[in-house]
Amino acid sequence: MTQHLADALPTTTGTTPGWWRDAVIYQVYPRSFADSNGDGMGDLEGIRSRLPYLKELGVDAVWLSPFYASPQADAGYDVADYRAIDPMFGTLHDADAVIREAHDLGLRIIVDLVPNHCSDQHEWFKQALREGPGSRLRERFHFRPGKGENGELPPNDWESIFGGPAWTRVADGEWYLHLFAPEQPDFNWEHPAVQDEFRSILRFWLDLGADGFRVDVAHGLVKAPGLPDLGARDQLKLLGNDVMPFFDQDGVHEIYRSWRLILDEYEGDRVLVAEAWTPTVERTARYVRPDEMHQAFNFQYLTSDWEATALREVIDGSLAAMRPVGAPTTWVLSNHDVTRHATRFANPAGLGTQLREPGDRDLGLRRARAASLLMLALPGSAYVYQGEELGLPDVTDLPDEVRQDPSFFRAAGQDGFRDGCRVPIPWSGTEAPYGFGTGGSWLPQPDSWAELSVEAQTGDPSSTLELYRTALRLRREHPDLGAGESVDWQEAPEGVLVLRRGNFLCTANTTGTAVRLPVTGEVLLSSGDTVEDGVLPADTTVWWQVTAG
Ligand code: NOJ
């Protein structure tokens, strides 16, 4: 099973540019994509059966969120066995089939790797608990005695990203560190066994034909020596501003250098993608230096408002930060951790990425379509989250009793509304589960989703699905789209962005009023109403073919 999958693909290792430099990568959230066995939960066989849809959509690669054996305390980001598939998703054979068939279709597969923490049901953690304080097996994690007279206080003041202390006390009195849920103990990356184990896990999936890894919490693996107090409360609010003793420590880069050497041994231009929430794009660029990872998510772009000045600033800043390290910039608007952009942009700016209000749906969709076309016009690689090609909004009114996001259940949780973007996507039909499967869906789908299904939108030129299909086709055909490392901004009225590359022009009106632009050329695609006499409708992006000069 080792080399056959990679061999089916052209090998670009050692040549530039690699396929990933301008790739459009589609994120599949396995539990919510397609359910083949009627248990209400998506699975690998469901994904396999829908690969032709992704091919037709026109993406280059698929990133699969975790499908490993897991108690699902954090929807699979709590891994109990990195080399096994959770029965709810299928078998290793199914994973092999997904990779093999994707390759046959010319699609690459990126798997999710979760190295910062595992599940409390991982064999190593269970052993560590059994062996007791002082045992060498505890050294693979961060176990510490507590503070206070009887060790009743956590070893330091770190807070979990999901709310509450980042430490949990076990029956024998020691505490262990978990930056996320208590069911997700952090590995101690100083330990050689941890380092060896992950090198072996990388090889396992590379041998199976995976084209790369999206590395979860890539900024978190190394903690500051001595695990010093942070000396502040409400630490989540500080995350975007500062290097923390548990995030973005310099030591993480050594790990990725060693991983890069492994990937480079394999044929087929395999890639590492960092999920690294860092304070600045410049800090993010450190993860994609030539001997480290290939790409990093651009969360500064994801968190930007739909506003021309802010967008231009983050676009310029991102391109400038990546240029010195020679990495492509990436762009992303939605993923499984944030409110979908159709709902973010339906709400007033500045409310963050965890929204509970539906806002103005029509406005949100109009802006989301415009934002997507702008993103797909930019040089570099773009990430599309399943369902955004259907214009799906977040489901903001899920009843509390169906919610599963672990942070929803933690006291003072500030990140607890991620279920809203994880509702299974609609494929066909007029009633839930809309072709997702035959046995319901693990989160309820709204009645209004019949008109948003793949079936309902296919062939309708005004639909969001057809907008994405056309945009991705044009992006493949047009040599200037997605290419290069810079954009050439043209003069534009306030609230409007006009960027040019060769004979391609993109105009984005982020305001609520139509504007007239002196553009002469052929309209290739518009996210909104027809463009007449150079009048660009409100909240609309238009792609143009212009003549040289
Ligand atoms: C980032 C993942 O995207 C998120 O879903 C998860 O909860 C945390 N990392 C912890 O693994």
Side-chain angles (χ1 to χ4, degrees):
M1 276 216 295
T2 45
Q3 287 301 314
H4 66 279
L5 300 161
D7 288 347
L9 288 168
T11 297
T12 51
T13 308
T15 64
T16 52
W19 64 270
W20 39 274
R21 289 192 164 265
D22 59 359
V24 176
I25 303 176
Y26 185 96
Q27 180 189 357
V28 164
Y29 195 61
R31 49 169 54 213
S32 303
F33 190 63
D35 169 21
S36 74
N37 62 1
D39 65 356
M41 187 63 76
D43 47 45
L44 287 168
E45 173 53 20
I47 296 169
R48 192 201 58 73
S49 72
R50 298 290 186 180
L51 288 172
Y53 165 78
L54 298 177
K55 178 67 186 171
E56 201 196 327
L57 180 60
V59 300
D60 301 294
V62 180
W63 149 34
L64 301 173
S65 280
F67 44 60
Y68 311 105
S70 160
Q72 305 289 321
D74 184 21
Y77 283 96
D78 48 319
V79 180
D81 184 345
Y82 291 85
R83 296 179 186 79
I85 307 294
D86 197 278
M88 115 191 343
F89 295 127
T91 62
L92 214 43
H93 179 81
D94 297 331
D96 182 53
V98 168
I99 296 173
R100 192 187 288 259
E101 286 195 30
H103 286 179
D104 287 347
L105 290 168
L107 294 168
R108 318 252 174 175
I109 296 287
I110 294 174
V111 298
D112 216 312
L113 186 72
V114 189
N116 179 66
H117 46 263
C118 58
S119 159
D120 61 352
Q121 297 307 305
H122 188 285
E123 207 42 55
W124 284 14
F125 191 73
K126 291 201 289 190
Q127 281 172 356
L129 282 187
R130 276 198 302 269
E131 299 282 322
S135 112
R136 298 194 59 187
L137 292 178
R138 285 206 172 178
E139 290 167 11
R140 294 165 173 179
F141 299 91
H142 296 282
F143 276 90
R144 294 283 185 285
K147 283 186 175 161
E149 220 168 293
N150 302 307
E152 73 282 7
L153 298 172
N156 72 17
D157 67 356
W158 296 359
E159 292 169 5
S160 152
I161 308 304
F162 290 163
W167 296 89
T168 288
R169 196 174 195 191
V170 300
D172 54 48
E174 279 205 325
W175 297 72
Y176 67 91
L177 176 70
H178 52 86
L179 292 182
F180 294 87
E183 296 88 349
Q184 294 167 294
D186 278 48
F187 282 116
N188 171 14
W189 269 88
E190 304 290 326
H191 200 295
V194 173
Q195 298 166 12
D196 286 351
E197 174 64 356
F198 273 90
R199 283 195 280 260
S200 158
I201 293 165
L202 285 176
R203 287 187 188 284
F204 179 87
W205 289 100
L206 290 167
D207 286 343
L208 203 69
D211 296 289
F213 302 90
R214 175 265 189 193
V215 181
D216 189 63
V217 199
H219 52 309
L221 278 49
V222 172
K223 278 70 180 175
L227 313 184
D229 277 341
L230 188 61
R233 294 190 65 80
D234 268 348
Q235 294 168 8
L236 202 57
K237 296 209 177 90
L238 303 174
L239 287 185
N241 310 325
D242 257 322
V243 175
M244 315 286 271
F246 46 82
F247 276 164
D248 204 21
Q249 293 289 309
D250 288 348
V252 294
H253 298 288
E254 202 48 54
I255 298 170
Y256 304 129
R257 280 187 203 109
S258 81
W259 289 9
R260 177 63 179 260
L261 293 175
I262 295 176
L263 264 76
D264 284 351
E265 284 175 28
Y266 284 77
E267 292 191 326
D269 215 1
R270 321 284 180 108
V271 296
L272 292 166
V273 183
E275 190 230 10
W277 291 83
T278 71
T280 61
V281 272
E282 288 74 23
R283 301 253 350 152
T284 304
R286 292 156 51 98
Y287 289 75
V288 288
R289 288 177 284 196
D291 58 350
E292 294 191 40
M293 302 213 192
H294 300 75
Q295 289 187 345
F297 291 121
N298 188 341
F299 292 121
Q300 276 80 12
Y301 190 70
L302 185 147
T303 49
S304 171
D305 290 327
W306 176 241
E307 196 278 311
T309 314
L311 284 164
R312 181 167 166 169
E313 213 168 279
V314 69
I315 293 168
D316 282 342
S318 309
L319 291 165
M322 294 300 149
R323 210 167 288 127
V325 293
T329 309
T330 66
W331 314 102
V332 60
L333 290 165
S334 283
N335 66 31
H336 65 293
D337 288 331
V338 297
T339 301
R340 287 180 177 279
H341 63 285
T343 299
R344 286 208 313 278
F345 296 150
N347 279 282
L351 295 183
T353 55
Q354 297 290 319
L355 306 187
R356 276 178 280 170
E357 295 300 327
D360 177 341
R361 286 237 166 109
D362 292 341
L363 176 67
L365 182 59
R366 198 159 64 242
R367 288 178 170 173
R369 290 165 54 105
S372 300
L373 270 205
L374 174 63
M375 170 176 85
L376 293 171
L378 296 173
S381 175
Y383 280 80
V384 171
Y385 175 49
Q386 66 175 41
E388 77 172 63
E389 80 278 21
L390 304 175
L392 292 189
D394 243 49
V395 181
T396 46
D397 58 356
L398 285 172
D400 287 356
E401 58 276 15
V402 303
R403 290 189 182 274
Q404 296 200 14
D405 182 350
S407 52
F408 180 74
F409 301 99
R410 297 272 291 173
Q414 298 166 61
D415 196 25
F417 297 95
R418 297 179 300 172
D419 289 313
C421 64
R422 298 175 176 181
V423 174
I425 63 171
W427 291 93
S428 59
T430 52
E431 276 173 24
Y434 305 114
F436 164 67
T438 52
S441 62
W442 69 278
L443 284 173
Q445 301 155 302
D447 292 342
S448 56
W449 278 18
E451 62 195 41
L452 294 177
S453 75
V454 171
E455 182 182 55
Q457 296 197 38
T458 295
D460 173 358
S462 68
S463 72
T464 305
L465 177 56
E466 294 299 349
L467 179 77
Y468 268 76
R469 283 179 173 153
T470 308
L472 294 177
R473 178 176 56 74
L474 288 171
R475 198 180 143 107
R476 275 196 312 280
E477 290 170 2
H478 202 299
D480 295 316
L481 259 161
E485 282 146 26
S486 59
V487 291
D488 182 3
W489 297 107
Q490 313 280 296
E491 222 172 285
E494 209 178 317
V496 177
L497 294 173
V498 179
L499 59 99
R500 179 166 187 159
R501 232 198 122 70
N503 291 341
F504 171 79
L505 193 81
C506 172
T507 54
N509 180 4
T510 67
T511 74
T513 16
V515 285
R516 183 181 296 276
L517 291 176
V519 182
T520 40
E522 179 202 346
V523 172
L524 295 173
L525 189 60
S526 167
S527 71
D529 294 337
T530 326
V531 182
E532 270 164 25
D533 301 331
V535 174
L536 185 59
D539 291 310
T540 297
T541 297
V542 177
W543 289 2
W544 309 76
Q545 175 77 21
V546 290
T547 42

